[in-house]
Amino acid sequence: VLIKPKRSTINSRSKVDLNREIRFKYSTIKWKGVPIIAANMDTTGTFEVYNALKEYNMITALHKFYSLEDYRKMLEKGLDPNYYMVSTGIGQQSFEHLSSILSEIPCYWICIDIANGYISDLVDFCAKVRETWPDKIICAGNVVSGDMVQDLVLYGKVDVVKIGIGPGSACTTRLKTGVGMPQLSAVLECADAAHGVGGHIISDGGITCPGDMAKAFGAGADFVMVGGQFAGHDENPGEMVEENGEKFKLFYGMSSEHAMNKHYGKMEKYRSSEGRVIKIKYRGPLENTVLDYLGGLRSTCTYINATCIKHIPKCTTFVRVNNQLN
């Protein structure tokens, strides 16, 4: 799709405000910032990425492999609870790990993250987390259909549902399982379902350029999560690889064999790898990419007469095309 331009009274990009204030269904916290989130993958959900993004009021979903000791060290340097999420899986061990972090570290956001958000254990775990920390902003996923979004909001007591199965650049779920949903269709359906019951959504995955992010917001996403496009920078971990005079950094899916071996020592025989390892062209400082995306979003707003990010869906009319580029 492309977004159809409209007559606009916004004569300069500088007049567009990309900060948004959001109140949530369950959490008592009122959040204000730019609703873009670095994915909780261990190549992007890092303290170094957090340091870069917080300057722009953007959130980093920290990966689930940081220990309490890691958080303590970071706390000494300063952690703003508005701009990072503590991520967790859904087992008992994960709950204990989450409890140990939240008992000491001031944080507003919890991200409950599993690849398949359709299993009943997820809703039960979310409800348990809500009961334990009634005031936190709780996100959970991933799902791609309206019924499951409403289950998570109404029964899991989740504030924000994460949308996306298979769209990520390092994800091979669609290839390995045949399961998935086109990301724009998923966001359109899930935004409608969430907003109908007072919830919010994060569009997670499938961003290849600033235009994709504009379309995600246009389809009704309240937040957009970015992985691959925020990888390959100075702030991302991993060594630089040089091939034929070009520099690359590694980026990989969290369900990949590479990630399993790194964090769990092995990949269980009953699993298949649902992620790939990608060499990403070295991109320099993360700030370059951030400014490119924010500039693109502001420009979208001037084309469709949206004065702020919240108005993008109201001002968006999609046109179906078979190619977005000439």
Side-chain angles (χ1 to χ4, degrees), residues 295-306:
L297 276 180
R298 285 193 194 94
S299 193
T300 303
C301 290
T302 63
Y303 271 110
I304 61 173
N305 202 28

Side-chain angles (χ1 to χ4, degrees), residues 280-293:
I280 289 193
K281 216 183 230 179
Y282 170 61
R283 294 178 172 140
L286 183 54
E287 181 182 47
N288 297 353
T289 299
V290 169
L291 291 173
D292 187 38
Y293 272 78

Side-chain angles (χ1 to χ4, degrees), residues 180-192:
M181 173 92 167
Q183 187 66 0
L184 189 83
S185 305
V187 170
L188 285 161
E189 178 180 325
C190 295
D192 193 39

Side-chain angles (χ1 to χ4, degrees), residues 192-244:
D192 193 39
H195 298 154
V197 292
H200 291 80
I201 68 162
I202 298 168
S203 172
D204 173 22
I207 304 296
T208 68
C209 58
D212 288 343
M213 186 178 277
K215 290 170 193 174
F217 283 121
D222 302 288
F223 299 84
V224 177
M225 185 173 261
V226 183
Q229 290 295 305
F230 281 178
H233 301 87
D234 294 332
E235 291 84 352
N236 302 110
E239 66 213 72
M240 199 88 75
V241 185
E242 201 161 323
E243 283 179 19
N244 306 326

Side-chain angles (χ1 to χ4, degrees), residues 131-202:
E131 202 180 323
T132 315
W133 296 283
D135 295 340
K136 302 285 187 204
I137 306 165
I138 300 174
C139 312
N142 280 28
V143 300
V144 287
S145 52
D147 55 346
M148 203 61 214
V149 167
Q150 294 191 330
D151 273 7
L152 282 164
V153 174
L154 297 174
Y155 306 118
K157 302 281 192 279
V158 163
D159 294 298
V160 192
V161 182
K162 201 145 75 75
I163 309 304
I165 289 181
S169 58
C171 183
T172 56
T173 296
R174 293 171 180 184
L175 200 64
K176 287 294 169 80
T177 66
V179 174
M181 173 92 167
Q183 187 66 0
L184 189 83
S185 305
V187 170
L188 285 161
E189 178 180 325
C190 295
D192 193 39
H195 298 154
V197 292
H200 291 80
I201 68 162
I202 298 168

Side-chain angles (χ1 to χ4, degrees), residues 65-118:
F65 302 103
Y66 276 131
S67 66
L68 175 57
E69 196 47 48
D70 294 328
Y71 275 99
R72 281 179 184 142
K73 282 182 192 147
M74 192 60 200
L75 195 56
E76 288 167 21
K77 298 174 193 161
L79 267 176
D80 186 331
N82 279 293
Y83 301 122
Y84 72 93
M85 298 181 175
V86 176
S87 300
T88 179
I90 62 168
Q92 182 54 29
Q93 218 176 340
S94 296
F95 186 80
E96 285 162 15
H97 183 59
L98 180 65
S99 302
S100 72
I101 292 167
L102 295 184
S103 65
E104 290 188 35
I105 308 296
C107 175
Y108 294 161
W109 294 85
I110 299 171
C111 180
I112 302 165
D113 181 54
I114 58 174
N116 174 6
Y118 286 81

